[in-house]
Amino acid sequence: MSINNYQTEVAKRFTIYNSLFLDLPFSDIHRTGTLLPILSSKCQEGFEKDKSPKEIIEGFFDELMPNNSAKERHDLLFKMVQYVERQVVLFDSIEDAAFEKIHDLKGKGSVSALIARAGNDGKKKALIEKLKNFSVRLTLTAHPTQFYPGSVLGIITDLESAIRNNDLGSIDLLLQQLGKTGFINKEKPSPLDEAVSLIWFLVNVFYQSIPDILTRLLNSLEVPLHEWENPGLLKVGFWPGGDRDGNPFVTHDITVKVAERLQKWILRCYYRDIRKLRRRLTFKNVEPIMMTVENGLFNSLFENKGYYNSKEELLVDLMKARQGLVEYHDGLFLDQLDEFILKVKIFGFHFANMDVRQDSRKHDGLWDELIEVKSGKEELKKFQKLSEESKISYLLDIEGIPDQSQLKNEFHQEMMKSFDAVKTVQQNNGEEGLHRYIISNCQSALHILEVFQLSRLRFGKEVKNLPLDIVPLFETIDDLAAAPEIMRKLYENEAYRDHLKNRNSKQTIMLGFSDGTKDGGYIRANWSILLAKEELTKVSREYDVSVVFFDGRGGPPARGGGNMNNFYASLGEKVENAEIQVTIQGQTISANYGKQVSCTYNLEQLLCAGLENELYPSSEKNLSGEQREIIEKMAGISYQFYKDFKSHPKFVPYLEHVTPLKYFGQVNIGSRPLKRGKGSGLKFEDLRAIPFVGSWAQMKQNIPGFFGVGAALSKLKEEGEFEKAKTLYQDSLFFRSLLGNSMQSLAKSFYKATAYLKENEEYAEFWELMFEEYRRTIQMLLEVSGMDTLLQDNLTSKESIAIREKIVLPVITIQQYAIQSMLESGKEDRTLQMLILRTMFAIINAARNAA
């Protein structure tokens, strides 16, 4: 899209609607609306003149409010922050309303472009075959780094629609409503609240988008909808309510409740659709069946009488109605009925696929207690001294375990009940409702077999084939390197091999970008994950197992985010690619999948990236030996550079005392604690990836998204190998995507905001170290890419980031003013702390993928 188009559709509209906004007729807001543009320009001018945040804010007050008390000044700052938050919502809505004008919905990466290309190349048949076993699963996770209450989500939806229609009257009213509606949760959401807020997206977006894509795809390929056998081509995974890892508030009870909510909501969607459909299907031999369906759904929903207990029962009736239409009524309205049947096949009685997740160390502890209760302390001591192989044999020979009521540890009792929850969900929602158990921090074959054996014993001997997939999650650099050997051990284990045969010889493996980057830095983490995928593919193929990779990616590039479609399109033949599975979290859910048009576009991009990889294998995607050497060398240099940085004596103190890290536990956006483990001191390894990456984003320093990239490229330059890196950038989509996402992190950085730290005795040297690498990385990336400015190849993204950064600049300045004031006085100040907390929301929301 041309940059002029973006200017017209987004930038200029924002200027116009923002002027309405600054003029809102509220007494306290009116003054804020007048003063905010002045503060904004003072911030810009001040940073250009190298002033500190404190000088900028104090100068603003001295000039415009010289006689006001400190309290009045701080009250105004709070109002400014609230104001900017609403400006961000306005900008988001304008961007969303212009979505189809900014993006080419039928261009590269869309379903229509893929079908046209396959048709021209005589690959239509191959495409249909591939579609029969391909799948994209987007998993919505309980990491809400953006958590607008439902009331605000509703305003956002209406605002976008009013902007689309240029309805100034409605826009004005909605902006007034926005001005008076609270943005902040009064208390932390429970896991059930988190689930309900994400179900909003299932009902309002995915329920429409997924069937729409499938219907268009199948119609274009002339495949009859009712004959389609792979309704799981596009599916939604769901973590709230099942993700226990480090979230002490998720219980077996919550898991069952969330599954019940999911079923209630999908039945509501069906009921709404069937009522519309029945108004058309008023014919003999058809209407009575549709009445039965409508009443059956009504009873299941409102009378708590489960007329239908499974999607199969519902489909039997729908197929009878279909037969009646074809036999007696020439298939009148058949396409509408077929589309509804397809929805039922896609979403079943489960709506989304839940997963259970737990940390491997928790299973170690549970087994220790089970062995002690069953056989005594001495037996436990003997077990603990065994080798890994012997422990595995010991556990797999156990034929019965104590009931949870015999365990003293309440958490262990709860873990045992979580297996019962899996059974309950499968009985009510079908196996698709919950059929995976994910083990985070997985470090050995024993960790996987502990869960395998627990679930076998808990499901009971009468269950011949365990209806559960055990999924290891490899996260740190060391774990990624060990993963292929761990899986080999597993594939050679007879009991587990038999289990896999019963699960269609399919093994899902999850790989964690977030913790990988936190542990190993940007290049090392991304490269380690690619190498692990290649090796795991090789090992799995050797044992005739089809491996599926589930990528734990966050919103920002520092956590595996950024442009995912390029990432998936860049994988060569050495990586198994029968399915794409990825987590979507934080603002990425609302930004990329929050509206039907953006959800459809992004789902099509992911789907086509995977399909094109298969249909159009390209040698460009298979990295050559020489290309691998360069990336390996860069990964090694940047890893060492990042490790030295992490072991800097000021690294943890800086995170703890300068950045807003400690406040992440206090913002009521999510139910998860700040760190794993219960100790009072801050240990780097216990830190969760979201607050870690989020803290750097708040400071506008974005370390995890680029640190070490400049060091690696300049080392190549020193050693005369820079031309190889330039050629690699031109020839490899993987390398281009990697560096392109890093450019995003740099474009969202603003080191002038924290330049006052150069004067701070304790942190000056540490700040200079970061700043130096920031400057060097920009310079080296421009050289290697041949660009004059960052993101020159993606002007829309560049422009969007620039406007967002400008909107949020006053809030960044206010946050740094509060941090600087406390650092310089050496005292904690409650008002300043509240200001920091309050600014965090706006900074996170403005970036759309900052945490």
Side-chain angles (χ1 to χ4, degrees):
M1 186 209 74
S2 78
I3 199 65
N4 293 344
N5 198 1
Y6 187 88
Q7 283 287 348
T8 312
E9 293 296 336
V10 179
K12 289 202 168 65
R13 279 186 177 209
F14 177 67
T15 309
I16 294 163
Y17 296 145
N18 190 38
S19 61
L20 270 182
F21 196 39
L22 292 171
D23 223 21
L24 283 177
F26 306 136
S27 54
D28 55 341
I29 280 187
H30 191 65
R31 188 162 176 227
T32 316
T34 321
L35 291 173
L36 182 59
I38 301 172
L39 175 62
S40 200
S41 56
K42 291 276 180 208
C43 293
Q44 277 171 285
E45 289 161 19
F47 285 125
E48 276 163 24
K49 291 177 182 161
D50 295 326
K51 286 186 177 176
S52 75
K54 202 171 156 197
E55 286 171 327
I56 292 170
I57 298 291
E58 287 177 350
F60 168 77
F61 283 132
D62 291 344
E63 191 179 322
L64 291 159
M65 301 171 68
N67 304 320
N68 292 56
S69 67
K71 184 184 181 309
E72 287 169 325
R73 290 177 171 199
H74 285 142
D75 284 350
L76 181 72
L77 292 181
F78 278 106
K79 288 203 183 93
M80 296 279 192
V81 175
Q82 288 175 307
Y83 221 99
V84 171
E85 265 185 327
R86 285 154 179 79
Q87 280 183 312
V88 168
V89 166
L90 175 61
F91 185 71
D92 281 351
S93 300
I94 292 169
E95 245 189 12
D96 289 342
F99 192 89
E100 52 270 60
K101 290 170 183 158
I102 302 171
H103 300 86
D104 184 357
L105 301 191
K106 293 198 161 39
K108 187 178 178 307
S110 69
V111 160
S112 49
L114 176 65
I115 291 169
R117 186 180 175 191
N120 292 338
D121 300 344
K123 293 198 171 197
K124 195 166 139 183
K125 230 180 182 155
L127 173 59
I128 294 171
E129 279 313 301
K130 177 65 184 164
L131 284 167
K132 286 180 183 170
N133 57 26
F134 192 67
S135 170
V136 171
R137 183 198 292 221
L138 275 186
T139 296
L140 309 182
T141 72
H143 303 100
T145 45
Q146 176 185 51
F147 211 79
Y148 289 133
S151 53
V152 176
L153 280 175
I155 299 171
I156 291 171
T157 304
D158 295 341
L159 186 58
E160 185 221 359
S161 144
I163 290 168
R164 270 177 194 279
N165 302 324
N166 281 325
D167 180 351
L168 270 176
S170 297
I171 293 167
D172 192 31
L173 278 172
L174 288 163
L175 291 177
Q176 289 187 48
Q177 185 187 353
L178 201 60
K180 283 182 170 287
T181 303
F183 268 42
I184 303 297
N185 294 305
K186 292 284 180 282
E187 46 200 49
K188 271 186 189 293
S190 70
L192 194 57
D193 297 331
E194 288 180 341
V196 168
S197 77
L198 283 185
I199 290 173
W200 187 93
F201 293 101
L202 290 177
V203 173
N204 292 289
V205 184
F206 288 98
Y207 182 71
Q208 285 81 12
S209 288
I210 290 178
D212 166 58
I213 295 170
L214 265 183
T215 304
R216 279 187 292 113
L217 182 65
L218 296 174
N219 286 343
S220 306
L221 293 168
E222 293 156 3
V223 176
L225 292 191
H226 70 288
E227 287 176 12
W228 185 242
E229 290 300 313
N230 180 16
L233 180 63
L234 293 169
K235 44 190 171 188
V236 188
F238 202 78
W239 270 17
D243 178 11
R244 293 166 162 60
D245 173 27
N247 188 339
F249 309 111
V250 172
T251 59
H252 70 286
D253 194 35
I254 294 274
T255 304
V256 172
K257 278 187 181 148
V258 170
E260 281 169 2
R261 290 289 173 100
L262 284 165
Q263 186 179 94
K264 271 274 186 278
W265 273 105
I266 191 58
L267 292 182
R268 263 182 210 177
C269 291
Y270 292 161
Y271 180 65
R272 200 174 53 203
D273 278 3
I274 213 78
R275 289 186 67 186
K276 279 189 210 150
L277 197 52
R278 199 174 63 72
R279 288 167 68 175
R280 299 285 82 82
L281 304 182
T282 48
F283 322 130
K284 191 180 173 192
N285 299 316
V286 177
E287 189 175 37
I289 303 170
M290 296 309 283
M291 285 291 295
T292 305
V293 172
E294 185 183 327
N295 292 334
L297 288 170
F298 181 89
N299 288 337
S300 301
L301 264 175
F302 303 113
E303 303 291 329
N304 285 329
K305 291 183 209 151
Y307 181 83
Y308 291 115
N309 296 308
S310 68
K311 75 169 178 184
E312 285 72 24
E313 291 176 14
L314 176 57
L315 283 168
V316 166
D317 281 352
L318 291 171
M319 291 312 270
K320 271 188 212 156
R322 186 179 197 284
Q323 198 180 338
L325 267 189
V326 174
E327 275 181 33
Y328 304 107
H329 306 288
D330 301 324
L332 188 59
F333 298 123
L334 187 62
D335 52 344
Q336 292 180 24
L337 180 59
D338 278 349
E339 280 172 31
F340 181 69
I341 289 171
L342 186 64
K343 279 182 175 173
V344 176
K345 285 184 178 175
I346 293 167
F347 297 110
F349 269 38
H350 62 285
F351 212 166
N353 310 93
M354 292 179 73
D355 291 330
V356 169
R357 181 170 78 131
Q358 184 54 278
D359 190 300
S360 63
R361 291 165 288 198
K362 301 283 190 268
H363 306 121
D364 292 341
L366 172 56
W367 269 112
D368 282 355
E369 186 174 3
L370 287 170
I371 292 167
E372 189 178 337
V373 169
K374 186 179 161 75
S375 311
K377 272 200 170 102
E378 287 309 307
E379 184 69 7
L380 174 60
K381 279 182 192 162
K382 271 192 232 164
F383 170 75
Q384 286 170 336
K385 285 179 186 152
L386 295 174
S387 66
E388 188 194 356
E389 274 70 24
S390 307
K391 279 181 177 171
I392 287 171
S393 305
Y394 183 99
L395 292 183
L396 292 179
D397 284 344
I398 290 176
E399 291 194 358
I401 46 175
D403 186 67
Q404 76 255 9
S405 56
Q406 295 172 259
L407 303 180
K408 288 196 180 78
N409 185 314
E410 280 180 26
F411 191 78
H412 291 162
Q413 292 176 13
E414 176 52 51
M415 283 175 77
M416 296 279 275
K417 289 179 194 163
S418 65
F419 290 98
D420 303 344
V422 175
K423 279 199 284 192
T424 307
V425 173
Q426 289 193 355
Q427 279 157 9
N428 298 338
N429 292 19
E431 194 183 305
E432 290 167 285
L434 201 178
H435 62 85
R436 301 200 304 195
Y437 194 116
I438 297 164
I439 306 158
S440 14
N441 197 34
C442 184
Q443 299 182 327
S444 64
L446 174 65
H447 281 156
I448 299 159
L449 291 166
E450 279 176 342
V451 174
F452 170 63
Q453 182 64 347
L454 263 175
S455 45
R456 278 206 306 185
L457 294 169
R458 203 63 194 172
F459 267 76
K461 281 206 179 94
E462 64 280 5
V463 178
K464 282 279 175 284
N465 301 330
L466 179 67
L468 191 63
D469 298 313
I470 317 291
V471 180
L473 164 51
F474 300 110
E475 299 178 87
T476 65
I477 303 300
D478 289 347
D479 294 349
L480 288 164
E485 214 29 63
I486 291 173
M487 295 315 294
R488 183 183 294 279
K489 263 189 199 169
L490 211 56
Y491 295 152
E492 286 181 355
N493 181 286
E494 195 183 340
Y496 193 78
R497 204 169 54 243
D498 289 346
H499 165 65
L500 274 185
K501 275 184 194 142
N502 295 325
R503 304 297 291 164
N504 299 322
S505 293
K506 185 164 114 177
Q507 172 67 53
T508 304
I509 297 174
M510 189 172 178
L511 302 161
F513 279 77
S514 303
D515 284 287
T517 313
K518 179 185 146 227
D519 181 50
Y522 183 70
I523 302 180
R524 176 85 273 169
N526 279 276
W527 182 233
S528 293
I529 285 172
L530 182 66
L531 292 179
K533 280 185 172 179
E534 291 180 346
E535 286 303 310
L536 288 164
T537 299
K538 200 165 137 192
V539 169
S540 303
R541 284 174 181 168
E542 213 179 295
Y543 289 89
D544 285 328
V545 172
S546 39
V547 67
V548 172
F549 295 114
F550 177 19
D551 292 318
R553 303 168 76 96
R559 294 189 30 247
N563 189 324
M564 284 201 294
N565 314 325
N566 279 348
F567 171 83
Y568 284 111
S570 73
L571 299 176
E573 292 156 30
K574 292 182 176 178
V575 175
E576 197 66 72
N577 183 36
E579 296 188 26
I580 286 178
Q581 297 200 4
V582 61
T583 56
I584 303 287
Q585 51 193 245
Q587 309 95 316
T588 318
I589 296 174
S590 46
N592 293 358
Y593 299 91
K595 302 282 183 302
Q596 279 175 47
V597 60
S598 56
C599 178
T600 301
Y601 174 81
N602 285 302
L603 273 175
E604 284 191 23
Q605 291 279 324
L606 267 184
L607 179 64
C608 293
L611 293 168
E612 281 181 8
N613 242 344
E614 186 81 5
L615 293 173
Y616 297 97
S618 133
S619 54
E620 183 199 6
K621 294 172 188 174
N622 296 322
L623 295 161
S624 68
E626 190 184 16
Q627 289 175 323
R628 286 168 177 275
E629 271 173 38
I630 299 169
I631 302 176
E632 182 55 57
K633 187 170 183 177
M634 283 182 67
I637 296 162
S638 70
Y639 185 33
Q640 192 52 53
F641 191 66
Y642 178 69
K643 277 207 307 198
D644 293 344
F645 179 59
K646 272 200 314 187
S647 56
H648 191 288
K650 292 299 172 205
F651 186 87
V652 173
Y654 181 81
L655 274 173
E656 195 169 7
H657 303 300
V658 182
T659 77
L661 176 77
K662 53 181 170 287
Y663 300 102
F664 269 86
Q666 296 169 41
V667 285
N668 291 331
I669 52 175
S671 66
R672 289 152 60 95
L674 180 67
K675 58 193 181 77
R676 293 177 172 93
K678 287 204 170 76
S680 55
L682 181 68
K683 277 210 206 89
F684 175 75
E685 48 280 8
D686 285 342
L687 253 188
R688 290 189 166 280
I690 285 180
F692 174 71
V693 172
S695 300
W696 295 112
Q698 291 284 322
M699 298 295 285
K700 289 287 152 191
Q701 291 169 335
N702 290 332
I703 290 295
F706 73 84
F707 200 84
V709 175
L713 284 168
S714 66
K715 188 81 170 149
L716 289 183
K717 198 171 186 183
E718 253 172 61
E719 295 179 3
E721 293 191 84
F722 197 64
E723 283 308 311
K724 287 182 184 172
K726 280 171 121 169
T727 310
L728 179 63
Y729 184 85
Q730 295 308 323
D731 294 349
S732 162
L733 182 57
F734 170 77
F735 192 60
R736 265 200 314 283
S737 303
L738 191 65
L739 297 193
N741 283 342
S742 197
M743 284 186 195
Q744 268 198 38
S745 294
L746 290 160
K748 291 178 180 177
S749 301
F750 186 61
Y751 273 75
K752 279 182 182 290
T754 52
Y756 65 87
L757 288 166
K758 281 192 293 195
E759 312 302 320
N760 183 296
E761 275 178 33
E762 202 170 337
Y763 299 109
E765 182 218 335
F766 187 71
W767 186 88
E768 290 283 6
L769 185 67
M770 293 190 281
F771 182 56
E772 199 43 53
E773 179 60 3
Y774 160 75
R775 279 203 314 206
R776 176 166 63 176
T777 304
I778 292 178
Q779 186 195 335
M780 299 314 296
L781 282 176
L782 293 179
E783 277 186 50
V784 83
S785 65
M787 293 185 203
D788 302 319
T789 55
L790 291 176
L791 299 177
Q792 199 176 326
D793 58 343
N794 189 348
L795 293 175
T796 303
S797 184
K798 183 181 175 171
E799 185 77 1
S800 174
I801 289 170
I803 297 174
R804 288 175 182 281
E805 294 301 322
K806 191 177 172 187
I807 294 170
V808 86
L809 186 64
V811 177
I812 292 162
T813 313
I814 292 168
Q815 186 183 88
Q816 288 303 326
Y817 153 77
I819 291 173
Q820 185 185 357
S821 300
M822 285 200 291
L823 274 176
E824 288 178 5
S825 70
K827 289 195 211 73
E828 298 284 309
D829 179 301
R830 185 69 190 141
T831 307
L832 293 175
Q833 287 177 330
M834 290 308 293
L835 257 183
I836 293 170
L837 259 175
R838 202 61 196 74
T839 54
M840 288 172 74
F841 290 93
I843 294 173
I844 283 176
N845 289 340
R848 272 204 161 178
N849 65 353

